Amino acid sequence: MRPVKKKANQVDFPLSIDGLKNKLETEILNSQDLSFTVYKQENKQIAVFYIPYLVDLAKIEQQVLSKLLDVQIDWTMDSILSEIPLSSGEAFYDVKTIIDKLINGYIGLYGEYENAIIMYEIDKAEKRQLEKAETESMVIGPQIAFTESLTSNMNVINWRMNTPDLAMEKVEVGKRNPKETRIIYLKSVANETDVNTMRQRLTDLDVDMIEDIQMLKQFILDSSTSVFPQFVASELVDRSMYAIKQGKIIVLVEDSPSAFIAPSTLFSFFESTEDRYLHWGLSTFVRFLRFLAAFVTLLLTPMYVVATTYHYELIPSQLLISLGESRAIVPFPPLIEVLLIELVIELLREAGARLPTKVGQTIGIVGGVVVGTAAVQAGITSNILIILVTMSALASYATPSYVMGNTIRFVRFPLFILAGFYGIIGLMFGICLLVIHLVRLESLGRPYLSPLYPLRLADFNKAFFRLPEQMQNDRFLSYRLKDKQLFNKEEATERRDIDE
């Protein structure tokens, strides 16, 4: 039995059953939801109270009432705690604590004129089972996704990484509605400074409540004014396991079906979990393709504005004739033309995302074709710009991270506005500002452009390309981890025949 601790704001025990009921109904905001049942045995009475939609009624019947109503049990505090074999049983005096327990799925027992209320945790968990990831689709590799249950998420992490070196630190976040948060890392690998920084940011967080891990990220960012995401968020268990193995930290929050990984770099958002399951040559090619797609998204339409407004010499002669014929009937300058078409594409994309799946796909495809064709025929835009905007939109979807894809699409708007007003000088000025911002940006105190800045060539094979798996023996050296090696490279590359 746990020791009974009296608190400052305690109820004046002993109480009658009616006195306790009146006290609870006065203090509980939604008192109509309180189930308060009184059982009698000879000259004794005991009250059983709980909020029905928060508890498992079947468990109450089997684990509490069946034992409680046994005639051999004396309805005293000590006998109830000893006879009902539930580890969560504890005695309480404080009204606020009792009410907090009730709204968290506890059941209370009070024998009339006893000195305390006994409470047991029998909450009803309305949680999803482990399912396939929806937002991070994969063809090759494990596809198990996190759920809203923190217990299930920690369970699957322990299942995938069964080692005593795995640390899972608990932090409560939120004053009005506290939620359990877990900082997970490998104790013998992760950088102690990174762990302490994350722990301090979560502990010092002074907010009422956290709805989701995406909200938590926004409170602990290194730079809240930057549009660039600074922590990778993932719903894939496999990606989180890989990050932990590499010495990074993941954070989980109760009721959130995803985790975020820290620290992260700009290049982390162009990695896919699937890359590790492909041949290193294919993986390198796909990664270069993603970087190329990001540059196309960012610069294609701004370069069109630059070339058609100020610098016709950049366009080949034959293409210039075709472009001139295409733009001959367009009444708008290139900047307004691009801005109009880009906004239409963004509206179609947003409408397709918000509508039901089948309707959204139809609207996205049919709407794009119809609007593009009609705009060209009406002379609002040139057919060459429609091709360029379509290429730019397709390239933006090659980025594995949805958030980073949105960021790149957003950043190009200031770029082609600068290009429209100041030409190539304005575009280069915008690019320089962007690079300066990225150089100054950090993720959990680590450089955002690492290993490009500060330059560390040894980490290029983790950020820009992949080597054969036997040669990927080092972890990310820029993070200064405790254990920098995954395995011995010489032993991994050694080959022996069976007869040697």
PDB file of all heavy atoms in Angstrom, residues 91-126:
ATOM      1  N   ALA A  91      -4.813   6.919  -1.811  1.00  0.00           N
ATOM      2  CA  ALA A  91      -5.740   7.708  -1.005  1.00  0.00           C
ATOM      3  C   ALA A  91      -5.457   9.193  -1.193  1.00  0.00           C
ATOM      4  O   ALA A  91      -4.303   9.616  -1.247  1.00  0.00           O
ATOM      5  CB  ALA A  91      -5.601   7.330   0.465  1.00  0.00           C
ATOM      6  N   PHE A  92      -6.546  10.007  -1.252  1.00  0.00           N
ATOM      7  CA  PHE A  92      -6.405  11.443  -1.487  1.00  0.00           C
ATOM      8  C   PHE A  92      -7.304  12.222  -0.536  1.00  0.00           C
ATOM      9  O   PHE A  92      -8.374  11.763  -0.129  1.00  0.00           O
ATOM     10  CB  PHE A  92      -6.790  11.797  -2.932  1.00  0.00           C
ATOM     11  CG  PHE A  92      -5.841  11.228  -3.960  1.00  0.00           C
ATOM     12  CD1 PHE A  92      -6.094  10.002  -4.557  1.00  0.00           C
ATOM     13  CD2 PHE A  92      -4.699  11.919  -4.325  1.00  0.00           C
ATOM     14  CE1 PHE A  92      -5.235   9.476  -5.501  1.00  0.00           C
ATOM     15  CE2 PHE A  92      -3.828  11.402  -5.266  1.00  0.00           C
ATOM     16  CZ  PHE A  92      -4.088  10.177  -5.862  1.00  0.00           C
ATOM     17  N   TYR A  93      -6.855  13.459  -0.216  1.00  0.00           N
ATOM     18  CA  TYR A  93      -7.622  14.367   0.636  1.00  0.00           C
ATOM     19  C   TYR A  93      -7.992  15.652  -0.091  1.00  0.00           C
ATOM     20  O   TYR A  93      -8.970  16.296   0.247  1.00  0.00           O
ATOM     21  CB  TYR A  93      -6.792  14.754   1.873  1.00  0.00           C
ATOM     22  CG  TYR A  93      -6.434  13.596   2.764  1.00  0.00           C
ATOM     23  CD1 TYR A  93      -5.324  12.806   2.485  1.00  0.00           C
ATOM     24  CD2 TYR A  93      -7.194  13.300   3.893  1.00  0.00           C
ATOM     25  CE1 TYR A  93      -4.975  11.750   3.306  1.00  0.00           C
ATOM     26  CE2 TYR A  93      -6.865  12.239   4.712  1.00  0.00           C
ATOM     27  CZ  TYR A  93      -5.747  11.468   4.428  1.00  0.00           C
ATOM     28  OH  TYR A  93      -5.418  10.422   5.228  1.00  0.00           O
ATOM     29  N   ASP A  94      -7.212  16.037  -1.082  1.00  0.00           N
ATOM     30  CA  ASP A  94      -7.346  17.326  -1.751  1.00  0.00           C
ATOM     31  C   ASP A  94      -8.451  17.291  -2.800  1.00  0.00           C
ATOM     32  O   ASP A  94      -8.437  16.446  -3.699  1.00  0.00           O
ATOM     33  CB  ASP A  94      -6.002  17.684  -2.394  1.00  0.00           C
ATOM     34  CG  ASP A  94      -6.043  19.020  -3.106  1.00  0.00           C
ATOM     35  OD1 ASP A  94      -6.745  19.910  -2.629  1.00  0.00           O
ATOM     36  OD2 ASP A  94      -5.370  19.149  -4.148  1.00  0.00           O
ATOM     37  N   VAL A  95      -9.412  18.222  -2.705  1.00  0.00           N
ATOM     38  CA  VAL A  95     -10.549  18.237  -3.627  1.00  0.00           C
ATOM     39  C   VAL A  95     -10.098  18.471  -5.066  1.00  0.00           C
ATOM     40  O   VAL A  95     -10.553  17.797  -5.990  1.00  0.00           O
ATOM     41  CB  VAL A  95     -11.562  19.327  -3.221  1.00  0.00           C
ATOM     42  CG1 VAL A  95     -12.721  19.377  -4.218  1.00  0.00           C
ATOM     43  CG2 VAL A  95     -12.092  19.061  -1.840  1.00  0.00           C
ATOM     44  N   LYS A  96      -9.188  19.422  -5.267  1.00  0.00           N
ATOM     45  CA  LYS A  96      -8.727  19.710  -6.631  1.00  0.00           C
ATOM     46  C   LYS A  96      -8.061  18.485  -7.258  1.00  0.00           C
ATOM     47  O   LYS A  96      -8.299  18.172  -8.427  1.00  0.00           O
ATOM     48  CB  LYS A  96      -7.744  20.882  -6.614  1.00  0.00           C
ATOM     49  CG  LYS A  96      -7.272  21.304  -7.993  1.00  0.00           C
ATOM     50  CD  LYS A  96      -6.340  22.491  -7.907  1.00  0.00           C
ATOM     51  CE  LYS A  96      -5.932  22.961  -9.302  1.00  0.00           C
ATOM     52  NZ  LYS A  96      -5.308  21.899 -10.115  1.00  0.00           N
ATOM     53  N   THR A  97      -7.241  17.789  -6.484  1.00  0.00           N
ATOM     54  CA  THR A  97      -6.579  16.588  -7.001  1.00  0.00           C
ATOM     55  C   THR A  97      -7.597  15.510  -7.329  1.00  0.00           C
ATOM     56  O   THR A  97      -7.489  14.830  -8.363  1.00  0.00           O
ATOM     57  CB  THR A  97      -5.562  16.052  -5.973  1.00  0.00           C
ATOM     58  OG1 THR A  97      -4.640  17.078  -5.645  1.00  0.00           O
ATOM     59  CG2 THR A  97      -4.816  14.853  -6.532  1.00  0.00           C
ATOM     60  N   ILE A  98      -8.604  15.342  -6.483  1.00  0.00           N
ATOM     61  CA  ILE A  98      -9.645  14.327  -6.712  1.00  0.00           C
ATOM     62  C   ILE A  98     -10.390  14.617  -8.009  1.00  0.00           C
ATOM     63  O   ILE A  98     -10.634  13.719  -8.827  1.00  0.00           O
ATOM     64  CB  ILE A  98     -10.621  14.286  -5.516  1.00  0.00           C
ATOM     65  CG1 ILE A  98      -9.897  13.754  -4.269  1.00  0.00           C
ATOM     66  CG2 ILE A  98     -11.839  13.423  -5.838  1.00  0.00           C
ATOM     67  CD1 ILE A  98     -10.674  13.923  -2.994  1.00  0.00           C
ATOM     68  N   ILE A  99     -10.741  15.893  -8.230  1.00  0.00           N
ATOM     69  CA  ILE A  99     -11.469  16.263  -9.456  1.00  0.00           C
ATOM     70  C   ILE A  99     -10.576  16.092 -10.681  1.00  0.00           C
ATOM     71  O   ILE A  99     -11.021  15.620 -11.735  1.00  0.00           O
ATOM     72  CB  ILE A  99     -11.990  17.709  -9.345  1.00  0.00           C
ATOM     73  CG1 ILE A  99     -13.051  17.780  -8.247  1.00  0.00           C
ATOM     74  CG2 ILE A  99     -12.562  18.186 -10.673  1.00  0.00           C
ATOM     75  CD1 ILE A  99     -13.522  19.167  -7.921  1.00  0.00           C
ATOM     76  N   ASP A 100      -9.292  16.449 -10.564  1.00  0.00           N
ATOM     77  CA  ASP A 100      -8.354  16.235 -11.674  1.00  0.00           C
ATOM     78  C   ASP A 100      -8.266  14.758 -12.027  1.00  0.00           C
ATOM     79  O   ASP A 100      -8.187  14.391 -13.213  1.00  0.00           O
ATOM     80  CB  ASP A 100      -6.969  16.764 -11.307  1.00  0.00           C
ATOM     81  CG  ASP A 100      -6.914  18.292 -11.314  1.00  0.00           C
ATOM     82  OD1 ASP A 100      -7.823  18.894 -11.910  1.00  0.00           O
ATOM     83  OD2 ASP A 100      -5.980  18.852 -10.710  1.00  0.00           O
ATOM     84  N   LYS A 101      -8.265  13.910 -11.013  1.00  0.00           N
ATOM     85  CA  LYS A 101      -8.208  12.466 -11.257  1.00  0.00           C
ATOM     86  C   LYS A 101      -9.489  11.990 -11.948  1.00  0.00           C
ATOM     87  O   LYS A 101      -9.449  11.159 -12.866  1.00  0.00           O
ATOM     88  CB  LYS A 101      -8.013  11.707  -9.947  1.00  0.00           C
ATOM     89  CG  LYS A 101      -6.686  11.965  -9.255  1.00  0.00           C
ATOM     90  CD  LYS A 101      -5.525  11.406 -10.045  1.00  0.00           C
ATOM     91  CE  LYS A 101      -4.205  11.600  -9.322  1.00  0.00           C
ATOM     92  NZ  LYS A 101      -3.058  11.092 -10.114  1.00  0.00           N
ATOM     93  N   LEU A 102     -10.628  12.504 -11.533  1.00  0.00           N
ATOM     94  CA  LEU A 102     -11.899  12.088 -12.145  1.00  0.00           C
ATOM     95  C   LEU A 102     -11.934  12.407 -13.633  1.00  0.00           C
ATOM     96  O   LEU A 102     -12.369  11.583 -14.445  1.00  0.00           O
ATOM     97  CB  LEU A 102     -13.075  12.775 -11.440  1.00  0.00           C
ATOM     98  CG  LEU A 102     -13.469  12.254 -10.057  1.00  0.00           C
ATOM     99  CD1 LEU A 102     -14.557  13.132  -9.458  1.00  0.00           C
ATOM    100  CD2 LEU A 102     -13.946  10.806 -10.132  1.00  0.00           C
ATOM    101  N   ILE A 103     -11.469  13.606 -14.014  1.00  0.00           N
ATOM    102  CA  ILE A 103     -11.529  13.989 -15.433  1.00  0.00           C
ATOM    103  C   ILE A 103     -10.407  13.353 -16.232  1.00  0.00           C
ATOM    104  O   ILE A 103     -10.320  13.558 -17.442  1.00  0.00           O
ATOM    105  CB  ILE A 103     -11.496  15.522 -15.598  1.00  0.00           C
ATOM    106  CG1 ILE A 103     -10.184  16.105 -15.082  1.00  0.00           C
ATOM    107  CG2 ILE A 103     -12.689  16.158 -14.920  1.00  0.00           C
ATOM    108  CD1 ILE A 103     -10.073  17.607 -15.283  1.00  0.00           C
ATOM    109  N   ASN A 104      -9.559  12.572 -15.566  1.00  0.00           N
ATOM    110  CA  ASN A 104      -8.520  11.815 -16.267  1.00  0.00           C
ATOM    111  C   ASN A 104      -8.795  10.317 -16.245  1.00  0.00           C
ATOM    112  O   ASN A 104      -7.888   9.517 -16.508  1.00  0.00           O
ATOM    113  CB  ASN A 104      -7.146  12.100 -15.649  1.00  0.00           C
ATOM    114  CG  ASN A 104      -6.557  13.401 -16.135  1.00  0.00           C
ATOM    115  OD1 ASN A 104      -6.054  13.497 -17.251  1.00  0.00           O
ATOM    116  ND2 ASN A 104      -6.646  14.430 -15.306  1.00  0.00           N
ATOM    117  N   GLY A 105     -10.028   9.924 -15.942  1.00  0.00           N
ATOM    118  CA  GLY A 105     -10.413   8.524 -16.059  1.00  0.00           C
ATOM    119  C   GLY A 105     -10.222   7.705 -14.796  1.00  0.00           C
ATOM    120  O   GLY A 105     -10.026   6.492 -14.879  1.00  0.00           O
ATOM    121  N   TYR A 106     -10.318   8.341 -13.629  1.00  0.00           N
ATOM    122  CA  TYR A 106     -10.207   7.618 -12.362  1.00  0.00           C
ATOM    123  C   TYR A 106     -11.592   7.352 -11.790  1.00  0.00           C
ATOM    124  O   TYR A 106     -12.560   8.054 -12.096  1.00  0.00           O
ATOM    125  CB  TYR A 106      -9.400   8.422 -11.339  1.00  0.00           C
ATOM    126  CG  TYR A 106      -7.898   8.290 -11.494  1.00  0.00           C
ATOM    127  CD1 TYR A 106      -7.231   8.832 -12.588  1.00  0.00           C
ATOM    128  CD2 TYR A 106      -7.141   7.637 -10.530  1.00  0.00           C
ATOM    129  CE1 TYR A 106      -5.857   8.736 -12.724  1.00  0.00           C
ATOM    130  CE2 TYR A 106      -5.765   7.520 -10.645  1.00  0.00           C
ATOM    131  CZ  TYR A 106      -5.127   8.071 -11.743  1.00  0.00           C
ATOM    132  OH  TYR A 106      -3.765   7.955 -11.864  1.00  0.00           O
ATOM    133  N   ILE A 107     -11.680   6.336 -10.937  1.00  0.00           N
ATOM    134  CA  ILE A 107     -12.898   6.031 -10.193  1.00  0.00           C
ATOM    135  C   ILE A 107     -12.600   6.233  -8.711  1.00  0.00           C
ATOM    136  O   ILE A 107     -11.501   5.888  -8.233  1.00  0.00           O
ATOM    137  CB  ILE A 107     -13.379   4.579 -10.455  1.00  0.00           C
ATOM    138  CG1 ILE A 107     -14.592   4.256  -9.593  1.00  0.00           C
ATOM    139  CG2 ILE A 107     -12.275   3.570 -10.238  1.00  0.00           C
ATOM    140  CD1 ILE A 107     -15.191   2.888  -9.855  1.00  0.00           C
ATOM    141  N   GLY A 108     -13.545   6.855  -7.971  1.00  0.00           N
ATOM    142  CA  GLY A 108     -13.346   7.124  -6.551  1.00  0.00           C
ATOM    143  C   GLY A 108     -14.216   6.229  -5.680  1.00  0.00           C
ATOM    144  O   GLY A 108     -15.365   5.937  -6.023  1.00  0.00           O
ATOM    145  N   LEU A 109     -13.659   5.810  -4.550  1.00  0.00           N
ATOM    146  CA  LEU A 109     -14.377   5.003  -3.561  1.00  0.00           C
ATOM    147  C   LEU A 109     -14.276   5.707  -2.209  1.00  0.00           C
ATOM    148  O   LEU A 109     -13.170   6.094  -1.792  1.00  0.00           O
ATOM    149  CB  LEU A 109     -13.775   3.592  -3.453  1.00  0.00           C
ATOM    150  CG  LEU A 109     -13.632   2.776  -4.746  1.00  0.00           C
ATOM    151  CD1 LEU A 109     -12.967   1.434  -4.441  1.00  0.00           C
ATOM    152  CD2 LEU A 109     -14.975   2.546  -5.406  1.00  0.00           C
ATOM    153  N   TYR A 110     -15.430   5.846  -1.534  1.00  0.00           N
ATOM    154  CA  TYR A 110     -15.397   6.483  -0.215  1.00  0.00           C
ATOM    155  C   TYR A 110     -16.359   5.793   0.734  1.00  0.00           C
ATOM    156  O   TYR A 110     -17.578   5.808   0.538  1.00  0.00           O
ATOM    157  CB  TYR A 110     -15.759   7.965  -0.330  1.00  0.00           C
ATOM    158  CG  TYR A 110     -15.764   8.651   1.016  1.00  0.00           C
ATOM    159  CD1 TYR A 110     -14.591   8.785   1.753  1.00  0.00           C
ATOM    160  CD2 TYR A 110     -16.953   9.136   1.577  1.00  0.00           C
ATOM    161  CE1 TYR A 110     -14.587   9.396   2.992  1.00  0.00           C
ATOM    162  CE2 TYR A 110     -16.967   9.764   2.813  1.00  0.00           C
ATOM    163  CZ  TYR A 110     -15.773   9.880   3.518  1.00  0.00           C
ATOM    164  OH  TYR A 110     -15.780  10.473   4.757  1.00  0.00           O
ATOM    165  N   GLY A 111     -15.774   5.158   1.752  1.00  0.00           N
ATOM    166  CA  GLY A 111     -16.587   4.589   2.823  1.00  0.00           C
ATOM    167  C   GLY A 111     -17.017   5.687   3.779  1.00  0.00           C
ATOM    168  O   GLY A 111     -16.204   6.528   4.179  1.00  0.00           O
ATOM    169  N   GLU A 112     -18.286   5.714   4.125  1.00  0.00           N
ATOM    170  CA  GLU A 112     -18.826   6.797   4.937  1.00  0.00           C
ATOM    171  C   GLU A 112     -18.041   6.968   6.227  1.00  0.00           C
ATOM    172  O   GLU A 112     -17.749   6.001   6.932  1.00  0.00           O
ATOM    173  CB  GLU A 112     -20.303   6.558   5.243  1.00  0.00           C
ATOM    174  CG  GLU A 112     -20.993   7.774   5.850  1.00  0.00           C
ATOM    175  CD  GLU A 112     -22.496   7.641   5.878  1.00  0.00           C
ATOM    176  OE1 GLU A 112     -22.983   6.502   6.058  1.00  0.00           O
ATOM    177  OE2 GLU A 112     -23.189   8.650   5.716  1.00  0.00           O
ATOM    178  N   TYR A 113     -17.686   8.245   6.492  1.00  0.00           N
ATOM    179  CA  TYR A 113     -16.939   8.662   7.684  1.00  0.00           C
ATOM    180  C   TYR A 113     -15.524   8.089   7.730  1.00  0.00           C
ATOM    181  O   TYR A 113     -14.916   7.995   8.799  1.00  0.00           O
ATOM    182  CB  TYR A 113     -17.711   8.296   8.964  1.00  0.00           C
ATOM    183  CG  TYR A 113     -19.047   8.984   9.048  1.00  0.00           C
ATOM    184  CD1 TYR A 113     -20.233   8.259   9.008  1.00  0.00           C
ATOM    185  CD2 TYR A 113     -19.128  10.379   9.125  1.00  0.00           C
ATOM    186  CE1 TYR A 113     -21.466   8.887   9.064  1.00  0.00           C
ATOM    187  CE2 TYR A 113     -20.368  11.016   9.180  1.00  0.00           C
ATOM    188  CZ  TYR A 113     -21.518  10.267   9.141  1.00  0.00           C
ATOM    189  OH  TYR A 113     -22.733  10.920   9.177  1.00  0.00           O
ATOM    190  N   GLU A 114     -14.986   7.726   6.551  1.00  0.00           N
ATOM    191  CA  GLU A 114     -13.573   7.354   6.485  1.00  0.00           C
ATOM    192  C   GLU A 114     -12.720   8.632   6.390  1.00  0.00           C
ATOM    193  O   GLU A 114     -13.238   9.737   6.224  1.00  0.00           O
ATOM    194  CB  GLU A 114     -13.308   6.454   5.278  1.00  0.00           C
ATOM    195  CG  GLU A 114     -13.785   5.024   5.461  1.00  0.00           C
ATOM    196  CD  GLU A 114     -12.946   4.253   6.467  1.00  0.00           C
ATOM    197  OE1 GLU A 114     -11.723   4.500   6.540  1.00  0.00           O
ATOM    198  OE2 GLU A 114     -13.515   3.418   7.190  1.00  0.00           O
ATOM    199  N   ASN A 115     -11.405   8.454   6.447  1.00  0.00           N
ATOM    200  CA  ASN A 115     -10.509   9.605   6.497  1.00  0.00           C
ATOM    201  C   ASN A 115      -9.917   9.999   5.147  1.00  0.00           C
ATOM    202  O   ASN A 115      -9.100  10.917   5.081  1.00  0.00           O
ATOM    203  CB  ASN A 115      -9.355   9.327   7.472  1.00  0.00           C
ATOM    204  CG  ASN A 115      -9.856   9.215   8.896  1.00  0.00           C
ATOM    205  OD1 ASN A 115     -10.756   9.954   9.306  1.00  0.00           O
ATOM    206  ND2 ASN A 115      -9.299   8.279   9.656  1.00  0.00           N
ATOM    207  N   ALA A 116     -10.260   9.293   4.078  1.00  0.00           N
ATOM    208  CA  ALA A 116      -9.698   9.610   2.761  1.00  0.00           C
ATOM    209  C   ALA A 116     -10.555   8.989   1.670  1.00  0.00           C
ATOM    210  O   ALA A 116     -11.397   8.117   1.928  1.00  0.00           O
ATOM    211  CB  ALA A 116      -8.262   9.099   2.647  1.00  0.00           C
ATOM    212  N   ILE A 117     -10.340   9.463   0.439  1.00  0.00           N
ATOM    213  CA  ILE A 117     -11.000   8.903  -0.743  1.00  0.00           C
ATOM    214  C   ILE A 117      -9.979   8.071  -1.504  1.00  0.00           C
ATOM    215  O   ILE A 117      -8.847   8.515  -1.743  1.00  0.00           O
ATOM    216  CB  ILE A 117     -11.552  10.025  -1.644  1.00  0.00           C
ATOM    217  CG1 ILE A 117     -12.714  10.738  -0.954  1.00  0.00           C
ATOM    218  CG2 ILE A 117     -11.999   9.469  -3.002  1.00  0.00           C
ATOM    219  CD1 ILE A 117     -13.250  11.920  -1.713  1.00  0.00           C
ATOM    220  N   ILE A 118     -10.360   6.862  -1.867  1.00  0.00           N
ATOM    221  CA  ILE A 118      -9.466   5.973  -2.618  1.00  0.00           C
ATOM    222  C   ILE A 118      -9.808   6.088  -4.094  1.00  0.00           C
ATOM    223  O   ILE A 118     -10.987   6.040  -4.468  1.00  0.00           O
ATOM    224  CB  ILE A 118      -9.616   4.522  -2.147  1.00  0.00           C
ATOM    225  CG1 ILE A 118      -9.333   4.427  -0.653  1.00  0.00           C
ATOM    226  CG2 ILE A 118      -8.680   3.601  -2.927  1.00  0.00           C
ATOM    227  CD1 ILE A 118      -9.698   3.101  -0.053  1.00  0.00           C
ATOM    228  N   MET A 119      -8.793   6.207  -4.927  1.00  0.00           N
ATOM    229  CA  MET A 119      -9.018   6.365  -6.361  1.00  0.00           C
ATOM    230  C   MET A 119      -8.168   5.379  -7.143  1.00  0.00           C
ATOM    231  O   MET A 119      -7.022   5.092  -6.791  1.00  0.00           O
ATOM    232  CB  MET A 119      -8.711   7.801  -6.805  1.00  0.00           C
ATOM    233  CG  MET A 119      -9.459   8.855  -6.014  1.00  0.00           C
ATOM    234  SD  MET A 119      -9.636  10.418  -6.889  1.00  0.00           S
ATOM    235  CE  MET A 119     -10.920  10.023  -8.057  1.00  0.00           C
ATOM    236  N   TYR A 120      -8.772   4.845  -8.230  1.00  0.00           N
ATOM    237  CA  TYR A 120      -8.103   3.904  -9.128  1.00  0.00           C
ATOM    238  C   TYR A 120      -8.193   4.427 -10.554  1.00  0.00           C
ATOM    239  O   TYR A 120      -9.221   4.973 -10.963  1.00  0.00           O
ATOM    240  CB  TYR A 120      -8.762   2.520  -9.071  1.00  0.00           C
ATOM    241  CG  TYR A 120      -8.618   1.809  -7.752  1.00  0.00           C
ATOM    242  CD1 TYR A 120      -9.632   1.861  -6.798  1.00  0.00           C
ATOM    243  CD2 TYR A 120      -7.483   1.078  -7.457  1.00  0.00           C
ATOM    244  CE1 TYR A 120      -9.511   1.196  -5.590  1.00  0.00           C
ATOM    245  CE2 TYR A 120      -7.346   0.401  -6.252  1.00  0.00           C
ATOM    246  CZ  TYR A 120      -8.367   0.475  -5.323  1.00  0.00           C
ATOM    247  OH  TYR A 120      -8.236  -0.189  -4.126  1.00  0.00           O
ATOM    248  N   GLU A 121      -7.120   4.245 -11.307  1.00  0.00           N
ATOM    249  CA  GLU A 121      -7.107   4.653 -12.719  1.00  0.00           C
ATOM    250  C   GLU A 121      -7.687   3.540 -13.579  1.00  0.00           C
ATOM    251  O   GLU A 121      -7.115   2.468 -13.715  1.00  0.00           O
ATOM    252  CB  GLU A 121      -5.682   4.960 -13.177  1.00  0.00           C
ATOM    253  CG  GLU A 121      -5.622   5.453 -14.623  1.00  0.00           C
ATOM    254  CD  GLU A 121      -4.214   5.755 -15.075  1.00  0.00           C
ATOM    255  OE1 GLU A 121      -3.271   5.398 -14.344  1.00  0.00           O
ATOM    256  OE2 GLU A 121      -4.059   6.341 -16.166  1.00  0.00           O
ATOM    257  N   ILE A 122      -8.859   3.798 -14.174  1.00  0.00           N
ATOM    258  CA  ILE A 122      -9.507   2.827 -15.067  1.00  0.00           C
ATOM    259  C   ILE A 122     -10.032   3.603 -16.274  1.00  0.00           C
ATOM    260  O   ILE A 122     -11.227   3.598 -16.582  1.00  0.00           O
ATOM    261  CB  ILE A 122     -10.646   2.056 -14.362  1.00  0.00           C
ATOM    262  CG1 ILE A 122     -10.173   1.528 -13.010  1.00  0.00           C
ATOM    263  CG2 ILE A 122     -11.145   0.901 -15.224  1.00  0.00           C
ATOM    264  CD1 ILE A 122     -11.200   0.720 -12.268  1.00  0.00           C
ATOM    265  N   ASP A 123      -9.149   4.315 -16.932  1.00  0.00           N
ATOM    266  CA  ASP A 123      -9.570   5.149 -18.047  1.00  0.00           C
ATOM    267  C   ASP A 123      -9.856   4.312 -19.294  1.00  0.00           C
ATOM    268  O   ASP A 123      -9.320   3.221 -19.459  1.00  0.00           O
ATOM    269  CB  ASP A 123      -8.518   6.217 -18.365  1.00  0.00           C
ATOM    270  CG  ASP A 123      -7.193   5.608 -18.769  1.00  0.00           C
ATOM    271  OD1 ASP A 123      -6.794   4.609 -18.144  1.00  0.00           O
ATOM    272  OD2 ASP A 123      -6.552   6.112 -19.703  1.00  0.00           O
ATOM    273  N   LYS A 124     -10.711   4.848 -20.124  1.00  0.00           N
ATOM    274  CA  LYS A 124     -11.071   4.196 -21.389  1.00  0.00           C
ATOM    275  C   LYS A 124     -10.319   4.893 -22.509  1.00  0.00           C
ATOM    276  O   LYS A 124     -10.517   6.077 -22.771  1.00  0.00           O
ATOM    277  CB  LYS A 124     -12.580   4.275 -21.624  1.00  0.00           C
ATOM    278  CG  LYS A 124     -13.018   3.643 -22.946  1.00  0.00           C
ATOM    279  CD  LYS A 124     -14.538   3.571 -23.042  1.00  0.00           C
ATOM    280  CE  LYS A 124     -15.179   4.923 -22.974  1.00  0.00           C
ATOM    281  NZ  LYS A 124     -16.645   4.872 -23.159  1.00  0.00           N
ATOM    282  N   ALA A 125      -9.432   4.154 -23.172  1.00  0.00           N
ATOM    283  CA  ALA A 125      -8.603   4.742 -24.230  1.00  0.00           C
ATOM    284  C   ALA A 125      -9.284   4.583 -25.585  1.00  0.00           C
ATOM    285  O   ALA A 125      -9.501   3.475 -26.052  1.00  0.00           O
ATOM    286  CB  ALA A 125      -7.235   4.071 -24.256  1.00  0.00           C
ATOM    287  N   GLU A 126      -9.632   5.739 -26.184  1.00  0.00           N
ATOM    288  CA  GLU A 126     -10.199   5.732 -27.534  1.00  0.00           C
ATOM    289  C   GLU A 126      -9.064   6.034 -28.513  1.00  0.00           C
ATOM    290  O   GLU A 126      -8.836   7.173 -28.901  1.00  0.00           O
ATOM    291  CB  GLU A 126     -11.301   6.784 -27.656  1.00  0.00           C
ATOM    292  CG  GLU A 126     -12.459   6.590 -26.704  1.00  0.00           C
ATOM    293  CD  GLU A 126     -13.341   5.408 -27.092  1.00  0.00           C
ATOM    294  OE1 GLU A 126     -13.082   4.804 -28.159  1.00  0.00           O
ATOM    295  OE2 GLU A 126     -14.273   5.094 -26.348  1.00  0.00           O
TER     296      GLU A 126
END
